[in-house]
Amino acid sequence: MSEQRVVFFHTLGDTHLERAEDALVFVPPSLVGVLDGSHPIIDNSEREPQSPTQRLVSIGVATCQMADPSTDLRSLVAQINRRIRETMGNGGSEDQAVFPSAAFALGRLTAEGGLEILQGGDSLVAVEFSDGSCLATPNTVFKHTEECQEAVRGLEPGSREWHDVRARVGPAIQRRINKPGGWPMLNGDDAVEHYWLHRVFGRGVVRRALFFTDGLLPLSALKALERESNVKKLFKAYDDRGFEGIYESTKRHALAESKSSSNKRTPYVGEATAIALNLN
């Protein structure tokens, strides 16, 4: 894999460096992708230079870097989960609401010249095929995010009532990770293999693919990628403006939403990480 075939993007946005939880995966000759850490809704960890969520993401990246280049993605994620358990304890199989996790979108060039992808959570993969058609992997977190947002709708963010509702609703939602009706995440629990999305495309089938964390696009735009027409618009936006331009549009969207809302809080735009892989 030459560097000419990949394009990287990472921004902290409004996220302070000590809170950064995104990570880029780029391991020549065959592995690319992104990881996006998610802190537990019940966080009893002590203040440390590196949070448990950051440590989990670091384990994921390090495992990718040390893996044999021929390792298929399902075996790679099994290795990541094993390392999480070895380093951080039993992992999220005990209680997903108190253990960190990470969304993932990984790609591997196969020995035959095709593309293997493995995805879970709200880090996504958009694929453009050689025949011009497109698809994006599903955002399996979306309906759960909506449920949490609906529970606090109308409440002042940061208020005592807002925190009370989140403390009641949030753990129940987070405990759906790697469970039926929930969504897949890396957290040391091998049950993720029952819920991730895995695809292998043969040589010449895929023209290019974008791997990105959820911070790249507004939530509504992530949802809209269920339609092929919007995936094609994403690739056009990438061609016209690159990842930087797409992220700037996301920032403008957040500002416009803030101005139209009754709550005039300063809009927050978090970090985003993305990588493009060209197979031509």
Side-chain angles (χ1 to χ4, degrees):
M1 183 193 306
S2 66
E3 293 195 12
Q4 288 73 29
R5 299 183 70 176
V6 297
V7 176
F8 312 101
F9 172 76
H10 175 72
T11 178
L12 289 174
D14 298 331
T15 303
H16 296 296
L17 180 60
E18 65 270 16
R19 294 174 53 201
E21 294 172 345
D22 273 19
L24 181 75
V25 175
F26 176 55
V27 187
S30 58
L31 184 62
V32 299
V34 295
L35 302 177
D36 185 3
S38 176
H39 59 82
I41 199 77
I42 302 173
D43 190 355
N44 299 319
S45 62
E46 297 181 2
R47 186 75 175 177
E48 300 177 22
Q50 186 182 48
S51 72
T53 304
Q54 292 170 322
R55 194 177 313 131
L56 182 145
V57 171
S58 296
I59 291 169
V61 173
T63 305
C64 290
Q65 292 171 338
M66 293 185 295
D68 186 289
S70 65
T71 304
D72 68 87
L73 293 180
R74 290 177 293 186
S75 299
L76 177 62
V77 167
Q79 292 179 22
I80 293 172
N81 272 330
R82 185 170 63 251
R83 288 290 297 139
I84 290 171
R85 293 193 299 271
E86 292 171 352
T87 308
M88 301 181 67
N90 290 330
S93 59
E94 290 187 348
D95 189 348
Q96 300 84 356
V98 300
F99 198 83
S101 57
F104 54 98
L106 300 171
R108 183 182 73 93
L109 295 177
T110 66
E112 297 76 22
L115 177 66
E116 177 189 16
I117 63 172
L118 189 68
Q119 179 268 336
D122 53 10
S123 289
L124 305 183
V125 186
V127 178
E128 183 183 63
F129 296 101
S130 298
D131 65 3
S133 62
C134 296
L135 68 76
T137 57
N139 180 355
T140 50
V141 187
F142 184 81
K143 66 177 182 180
H144 306 282
T145 303
E146 277 195 320
E147 183 178 343
C148 191
Q149 290 181 338
E150 186 60 33
V152 297
R153 192 178 304 279
L155 303 180
E156 176 68 21
S159 67
R160 180 173 180 175
E161 186 179 6
W162 183 85
H163 281 294
D164 287 346
V165 172
R166 277 179 55 88
R168 185 178 69 252
V169 175
I173 293 176
Q174 204 163 44
R175 288 185 176 114
R176 299 171 189 167
I177 291 174
N178 297 333
K179 293 287 192 296
W183 68 97
M185 297 282 277
L186 291 175
N187 66 354
D189 184 0
D190 288 333
V192 66
E193 69 183 33
H194 301 299
Y195 308 105
W196 62 34
L197 183 143
H198 177 251
R199 296 286 187 274
V200 179
F201 304 103
R203 182 183 182 90
V205 174
V206 175
R207 178 179 299 155
R208 55 181 174 167
L210 309 178
F211 303 79
F212 54 96
T213 62
D214 65 321
L216 184 67
L217 296 170
L219 189 62
S220 57
L222 291 170
K223 171 66 173 175
L225 292 178
E226 294 176 351
R227 296 190 293 275
E228 182 186 17
S229 59
N230 289 321
V231 183
K232 290 184 176 182
K233 289 178 182 177
L234 173 62
F235 275 103
K236 185 176 188 309
Y238 173 74
D239 289 336
D240 292 344
R241 308 193 304 275
F243 287 132
E244 292 85 353
I246 293 172
Y247 185 74
E248 286 301 315
S249 296
T250 298
K251 290 171 64 176
R252 289 194 296 270
H253 181 273
L255 179 61
E257 276 200 335
S258 176
K259 289 181 176 179
S260 65
S261 171
S262 58
N263 179 355
K264 300 301 182 182
R265 292 167 64 91
T266 302
Y268 171 81
V269 182
E271 62 182 322
T273 303
I275 183 168
L277 174 63
N278 298 307
L279 280 81
N280 286 345

